[in-house]
Amino acid sequence: MATLLYRLGRFAYRHRRPVIGAWVLLLVALVAAAAVFRVPVNDSFSIPGTESQDTVDMLQERFPERSGGRATVVLEAPHGRDVTADRYRAAVDGTAERVEDIDGVESVTNPFDLYDEGYDRALHSDEVRGTLVDEGLKQARADYESQVADAEADALDQARDQVDRQYPEGTPGREQALAQAEDQARDQVRAQTPPFDEDAARAEVERRVDRAIAENDLPDEAVDRIDQQVKDRIPLFSEDGTTALLQVQFTDPDGSVPAATVDDLLGSGGPAEDAGLTVEYSGQSISIAQVSGIQGGEGVGLLVALAILVLNFGALVAAGIPILAALAGTGAGMALIYALSEVLDLTSTAPLLAMMLGLAVGIDYSLFVLSRHRQQLFAGMDPQESAARAIGTAGSAVVFAGTTVVIALLGLGLVRIPFLTVMGIAAAITVVFSVLVAITLLPALLGLLGRRAGAGRLPGLGARAERALTSTATLGARWARLVTRRPWLPAVAVLAVLGAALLPLPDMRLGLPTDASSAPDSTQHRAYDIVTERFGEGYNASLLVTVESDDTGDADEVRADLADFAEVESVQAPVYNDAEDTAMIVVVPEHGPSAEETEGLLHAIRGARAGWEADTGAEISVTGATASSIDTSERIADAMPLFLAVVVGLALVLLMLVFRSVVVPVKAALGFVLSMGAALGATVAVFQWGWGAGLLGVTPTETLLSFLPIVLIGTLFGLAMDYEVFLVSRMREDFVHGGGAREAVVTGYRASARVVVCAAAIMIAVFTSFVFNDNTTIQPVAFALAVGVLVDAFLVRLTLVPAVMALFGRAAWWFPRWLDRLLPDVDIEGAGLRTAEPSAPDRRA
């Protein structure tokens, strides 16, 4: 490999103008293709092969009018007032009408329309009529008995008056006469009063009730009772009556709703706001529209990287070359990604991850090659020969490191989740371009500059950087000698620190993004908070149970059983499609979407369907955003062992191929596991526990992204191998050319530690700049990568690796002879170049 890359580097150096011209033409062509073929991103998370996604696909066929995306308009009355009051109804209706007139909106479900329909239906229902008749009949009986009692009271008064006239007070026999007169009066009233006619009274009551229903002229208490019953049955009114929801159905599915439609929706709350209502909006389409793409903040990372490069090289031109190379490679990769956006079906996160990795590895790869070139120039080598040898040696390490990154990224396809596959492909494209730039465009740029690559030398910094090239007493050399003097001490210390960083891992919970994970000041987050407070946390975690059956009674039976589950808050009435062969039942859990109880409820419902299907013959399934999140997490968990086996296995083979060692690859893999665990532990502490979240401007949530661990593995593994290759390749280079095992560790460390530190600092700066991006999906990924690189570079590679290499000594380079004969020799150290004749110097340099 080294010889082939040596020739490629020499060719690019000598034919610098055609090579640079070819890159410029390629960039122009790719940018033009991106402008022509780019399509909007699609942030809908579809997981083919899962029950939730299969059910969604079925519902799109059975309920075509409901196949589009959905959003919710949350309207809250001020100071706990009743949102159903007349003064607010007109405002809610006005807002609903505005929303319905927006292009791209299929329909709007207004709770007041549901109320009117429900009230009219209840008013004319047999239940209400029967209740009113019973109450009327009861009242008629009470009136009859009251009249009899009044007649009896009048008769008794007359009888007493008559006795008083005949028997004045104190007259003997008065009490007996009074009792006899009262009995006679009662008997006379009973004899003269006809009995209560139940049938006649019922007929009269029914006539009055029917007239009152027809004229909607019911008693106030009846109206209040029906009103409350109807409101209780409408899930779009909160139980305390302070909040109403408008359900918006889009024509296009989530992820494809035009931005103009979302903007019009966000501006539709005028009538409600004028009436004093608080108006917020939620839904996946809203969140997608609010997702930030590439922002100027990423440029801060480049400025920090430039500052680090200036400190490293002490010269402006040399510092600018890696930035230029990274921009060229990342720009070409991003243009190709957008040109293929329709084929790749990009999410908003994929280009950000691709740019983040492209910039980071692009700067690092060019830095590594340029540092080798600079060392050789300082030793007096001809610029052309130096550039060619730098590509042959450092370029070999770059190709190998880039290959491990690409393998890890493409390994995301093993999970069989489309958006993860796309993320891996997109990021792999920018990494490939970064490698190509480092081995072709970079030597051409060096040829254009010749000996002027060190131009713009800064006083003080330039001299310091030059001394580091030849000094044997650099900070890196002193650290290496300190670590290797008693290697078990730093090894134990690093393991203790990394072990402590793993402590938060048991609390890690995974899920897909929700409105709760959006920025605290976003409308969707405020809507989520209002709904949680007014409707309960389970309202944001609803499950959708589907019942496929020609008998509508099956859905009612399933609904009744669902209401008996322990963790169910409420179950809404079935909604049927036009053919009435499929019903949707919304189940509202007691707990939120991230709660273990909700996950248990999903599995309990799916576990009970076998009995329902046996009893009814119906087909039953469960879907919804919460179910999709749980299914995604489980799919990733199931794929994790295979992913790790393939990615890590291939990388171990490549490391064995390069280093001809058993210890080095195994040590590299174990070090990566520790780095990954520490990165995930820190991410849990910040993004779940909230430690330091305010300083970083991120929103703590109950869960991390379900695909974060596997994305972190796919990217961090390749990046960790970069540092392993950059560091250990120089150690092996010195060892195979006669250096002692421990001395090779020190000399190799001294030669490469400075560039590894610089490269790691640049990566950390680039990744950290993306933490401050408003995209809440990329934030935890960027943070985990930044922490992972920090831990892997400074603790694992720069401390643990030399300690372990010193502990093993010559055994670190042991390799079975039979395996050595079996594997091809790729020669990334450039052993073949040491015996090769140097090329003729380029007089144009």
Side-chain angles (χ1 to χ4, degrees):
M1 180 188 292
T3 302
L4 177 64
L5 290 176
Y6 171 85
R7 292 171 180 168
L8 178 62
R10 185 174 61 182
F11 174 87
Y13 188 100
R14 299 185 65 178
H15 301 86
R16 41 194 171 266
R17 287 183 174 82
V19 171
I20 293 173
W23 270 103
V24 171
L25 290 176
L26 177 62
L27 277 168
V28 171
L30 289 174
V31 170
V36 173
F37 298 110
R38 180 178 179 177
V39 298
V41 297
N42 179 5
D43 273 321
S44 57
F45 294 102
S46 60
I47 320 295
T50 60
E51 178 180 329
S52 55
Q53 185 60 45
D54 291 343
T55 306
V56 168
D57 296 338
M58 179 272 292
L59 290 175
Q60 289 179 345
E61 297 179 3
R62 303 293 180 90
F63 293 85
E65 72 281 1
R66 295 174 178 260
S67 61
R70 297 182 182 181
T72 301
V73 183
V74 181
L75 305 112
E76 183 183 36
H79 311 300
R81 294 174 182 170
D82 188 355
V83 75
T84 63
D86 291 341
R87 60 175 170 173
Y88 294 132
R89 169 159 188 170
V92 174
D93 289 342
T95 299
E97 290 171 4
R98 278 198 182 185
V99 174
E100 204 159 16
D101 291 338
I102 296 173
D103 289 337
V105 171
E106 177 71 21
S107 62
V108 177
T109 302
N110 185 343
F112 285 109
D113 291 342
L114 296 179
Y115 172 84
D116 291 341
E117 295 171 5
Y119 188 90
D120 185 68
R121 187 164 51 249
L123 186 64
H124 295 87
S125 67
D126 291 340
E127 178 185 357
V128 169
R129 183 177 184 276
T131 300
L132 292 173
V133 168
D134 289 344
E135 290 177 349
L137 191 60
K138 183 178 179 181
Q139 185 61 46
R141 185 179 290 105
D143 291 343
Y144 168 81
E145 292 174 353
S146 177
Q147 292 172 2
V148 171
D150 290 344
E152 186 175 300
D154 291 341
L156 289 174
D157 288 342
Q158 292 176 7
R160 292 188 187 104
D161 289 342
Q162 186 175 358
V163 169
D164 286 342
R165 287 194 297 269
Q166 294 178 0
Y167 297 93
E169 286 288 341
T171 304
R174 183 178 186 279
E175 295 300 325
Q176 182 179 2
L178 181 60
Q180 184 178 4
E182 288 177 347
D183 290 340
Q184 291 176 351
R186 290 190 186 94
D187 293 341
Q188 183 178 6
V189 169
R190 292 183 184 131
Q192 294 176 351
T193 303
F196 180 74
D197 190 339
E198 181 88 16
D199 294 337
R202 179 178 291 277
E204 175 61 22
V205 168
E206 288 177 345
R207 184 183 64 80
R208 290 201 307 267
V209 167
D210 290 340
R211 183 174 66 248
I213 290 175
E215 297 175 356
N216 195 11
D217 184 23
L218 300 181
D220 291 342
E221 61 272 14
V223 171
D224 291 342
R225 184 174 62 250
I226 297 173
D227 173 79
Q228 192 59 50
Q229 289 176 351
V230 172
K231 289 177 181 176
D232 290 343
R233 294 173 183 173
I234 298 176
L236 302 183
F237 285 125
S238 63
E239 188 174 338
D240 61 5
T242 62
T243 308
L245 307 178
L246 298 179
Q247 297 284 13
V248 182
Q249 182 76 50
F250 293 114
T251 303
D252 299 313
D254 284 326
S256 301
V257 178
T261 299
V262 175
D263 290 341
D264 289 342
L265 175 63
L266 295 177
S268 64
E273 291 170 347
D274 291 342
L277 296 174
T278 297
V279 183
E280 303 294 351
Y281 306 84
S282 68
Q284 188 176 359
S285 295
I286 307 295
S287 298
I288 292 171
Q290 300 297 310
V291 166
S292 301
I294 298 169
Q295 303 173 343
E298 291 78 16
V300 175
L302 289 179
L303 291 177
V304 174
L306 179 60
I308 294 171
L309 289 169
V310 169
L311 290 173
N312 180 68
F313 290 117
L316 295 178
V317 173
I321 291 174
I323 300 292
L324 178 62
L327 290 175
T330 304
M334 294 294 293
L336 180 59
I337 289 168
Y338 282 122
L340 299 174
S341 57
E342 186 168 3
V343 176
L344 292 178
D345 196 19
L346 290 178
T347 64
S348 63
T349 306
L352 285 173
L353 180 64
M355 171 178 274
M356 185 168 62
L357 288 178
L359 289 174
V361 302
I363 295 174
D364 280 8
Y365 293 166
S366 298
L367 167 65
F368 193 58
V369 173
L370 185 59
S371 295
R372 190 62 172 260
H373 175 63
R374 183 167 165 269
Q375 289 174 348
Q376 293 168 166
L377 284 180
F378 195 77
M381 188 177 291
D382 176 74
Q384 176 179 297
E385 179 67 15
S386 175
R389 284 183 177 266
I391 298 299
T393 53
S396 296
V398 164
V399 170
F400 174 78
T403 301
T404 60
V405 175
V406 170
I407 288 174
L409 290 171
L410 295 182
L412 293 175
L414 296 173
V415 187
R416 295 181 297 114
I417 295 179
F419 67 84
L420 281 181
T421 302
V422 169
M423 288 173 65
I425 293 173
I429 287 174
T430 57
V431 172
V432 168
F433 271 102
S434 297
V435 172
L436 292 176
V437 165
I439 61 177
T440 59
L441 180 59
L442 179 57
L445 291 174
L446 295 178
L448 196 65
L449 292 169
R451 294 188 180 276
R452 297 186 302 277
R457 186 173 180 272
L458 298 175
L461 290 178
R464 180 175 177 273
E466 290 170 359
R467 285 196 302 271
L469 295 176
T470 57
S471 174
T472 59
T474 62
L475 179 62
R478 290 196 297 270
W479 179 252
R481 287 193 171 90
L482 177 65
V483 168
T484 57
R485 185 174 300 128
R486 292 184 178 83
W488 63 271
L489 280 176
V492 171
V494 169
L495 292 176
V497 172
L498 295 180
L502 300 178
L503 294 178
L505 279 181
D507 286 347
M508 183 173 69
R509 288 190 52 77
L510 303 175
L512 287 179
T514 66
D515 288 335
S517 59
S518 57
D521 59 346
S522 65
T523 183
Q524 59 268 32
H525 192 105
R526 292 193 297 267
Y528 182 95
D529 290 341
I530 292 174
V531 170
T532 299
E533 179 182 359
R534 302 301 185 184
F535 291 83
E537 59 181 354
Y539 198 92
N540 291 302
S542 59
L543 303 172
L544 187 62
V545 178
T546 65
V547 181
E548 298 178 71
S549 174
D550 293 330
D551 185 354
T552 58
D554 292 342
D556 292 328
E557 180 180 339
V558 171
R559 181 201 178 201
D561 290 343
L562 287 169
D564 293 334
F565 279 76
E567 302 298 335
V568 169
E569 177 68 27
S570 63
V571 182
Q572 298 177 15
V575 176
Y576 297 90
N577 63 341
D578 293 339
E580 293 192 347
D581 59 0
T582 305
M584 297 188 301
I585 304 173
V586 175
V587 179
V588 179
E590 289 184 351
H591 302 277
S594 304
E596 294 181 5
E597 293 86 351
T598 302
E599 182 177 350
L601 174 61
L602 171 65
H603 291 305
I605 293 174
R606 287 175 172 172
R609 67 175 161 203
W612 291 329
E613 291 177 346
D615 293 340
T616 64
E619 293 185 20
I620 298 168
S621 56
V622 188
T623 187
T626 301
S628 295
S629 177
I630 295 171
D631 287 346
T632 301
S633 298
E634 292 178 350
R635 166 72 69 83
I636 291 174
D638 292 341
M640 191 75 74
L642 175 63
F643 176 73
L644 281 173
V646 172
V647 173
V648 177
L650 284 175
L652 286 175
V653 170
L654 289 174
L655 286 170
M656 286 185 183
L657 194 67
V658 171
F659 293 120
R660 303 322 238 209
S661 167
V662 174
V663 172
V664 170
V666 173
K667 166 189 60 64
L670 293 177
F672 156 73
V673 171
L674 293 173
S675 301
M676 182 194 67
L680 286 175
T683 307
V684 169
V686 173
F687 284 83
Q688 283 188 235
W689 294 357
W691 289 7
L695 295 175
L696 296 175
V698 300
T699 306
T701 58
E702 294 182 4
T703 61
L704 297 179
L705 289 171
S706 57
F707 53 84
L708 172 62
I710 205 162
V711 169
L712 182 64
I713 291 171
T715 53
L716 185 59
F717 186 84
L719 300 178
M721 295 307 103
D722 284 357
Y723 301 130
E724 184 75 12
V725 171
F726 294 165
L727 192 65
V728 180
S729 61
R730 290 302 298 268
M731 295 179 185
R732 175 170 171 77
E733 187 175 346
D734 289 339
F735 175 76
V736 298
H737 291 98
R742 180 165 295 196
E743 187 58 29
V745 172
V746 176
T747 57
Y749 191 100
R750 183 184 66 227
S752 54
R754 183 181 176 91
V755 70
V756 169
V757 169
C758 184
I762 289 170
M763 275 201 178
I764 293 168
V766 172
F767 292 151
T768 302
S769 69
F770 280 82
V771 175
F772 298 97
N773 187 291
D774 289 340
N775 189 318
T776 55
T777 302
I778 204 68
Q779 281 180 334
V781 176
F783 177 83
L785 286 173
V787 174
V789 170
L790 175 68
V791 170
D792 193 82
F794 292 97
L795 292 182
V796 175
R797 307 304 157 187
L798 292 174
T799 304
L800 187 61
V801 165
V804 172
M805 296 293 286
L807 281 171
F808 277 89
R810 295 186 64 86
W813 304 110
W814 174 81
F815 200 55
R817 291 184 179 179
W818 64 268
L819 190 55
D820 186 48
R821 291 192 299 269
L822 183 64
L823 296 178
D825 185 5
V826 294
D827 183 24
I828 72 166
E829 294 94 2
L833 299 180
R834 297 209 171 195
T835 58
E837 291 294 329
S839 60
D842 186 351
R843 301 303 179 187
R844 297 169 294 176

